[in-house]
Amino acid sequence: MSSLITEDEISHETQLVWLEDVENLDYVRQSLDRLPTRKGKPSYHRDGRMVGYALLNTTAKASRASGTFRRRIFWLLPHDRDSQPDGLYAKSAPAEAIDPRTLEPRVKGYKTERSEGGPPSSAMQQLGITLPL
């Protein structure tokens, strides 16, 4: 969950790889998964789809217990707003959701008015930006 991801846990990220154009997504879900490698596209075992993942530098250490690396995975479920705009998350977002525009390597990302499905901020209103984008 985004609130549980610490900056230390993502301090070895070098790049975020997007499998979709995130400009059209109000939010993505993020989690830290235990993966066998620092780089490359990981296998995906959830419902829905993976939309992105992080790559780690060579200084990232594997867990002594499992030999795995903790890497961020970005994903969406079939009932998320991009697939069901009037569904469960029409005016809210899941706990692990963040606005993909606030993500960078080593940056946790944030919820925004857009990701929450709420009214636009005053800055968005001043720029003439309306929801949904």
Side-chain angles (χ1 to χ4, degrees), residues 46-98:
R46 292 182 178 91
D47 287 343
R49 66 193 196 273
M50 180 170 50
V51 295
Y53 55 92
L55 303 179
L56 305 179
N57 63 30
T58 57
T59 62
K61 302 274 190 250
S63 163
R64 288 185 194 157
S66 66
T68 59
F69 298 90
R70 294 196 71 191
R71 289 172 53 193
R72 278 195 296 178
I73 302 296
F74 306 101
W75 47 285
L76 290 167
L77 291 175
H79 61 272
D80 279 324
R81 193 182 312 146
D82 70 303
S83 297
Q84 295 184 8
D86 298 322
L88 176 64
Y89 294 113
K91 299 289 182 199
S92 65
E96 66 273 15
I98 39 109

Side-chain angles (χ1 to χ4, degrees), residues 29-45:
R29 295 172 185 251
Q30 76 173 342
S31 59
L32 272 174
D33 289 5
R34 294 204 171 273
L35 300 170
T37 63
R38 291 181 184 98
K39 298 184 183 234
K41 182 179 176 184
S43 56
Y44 184 72
H45 305 288

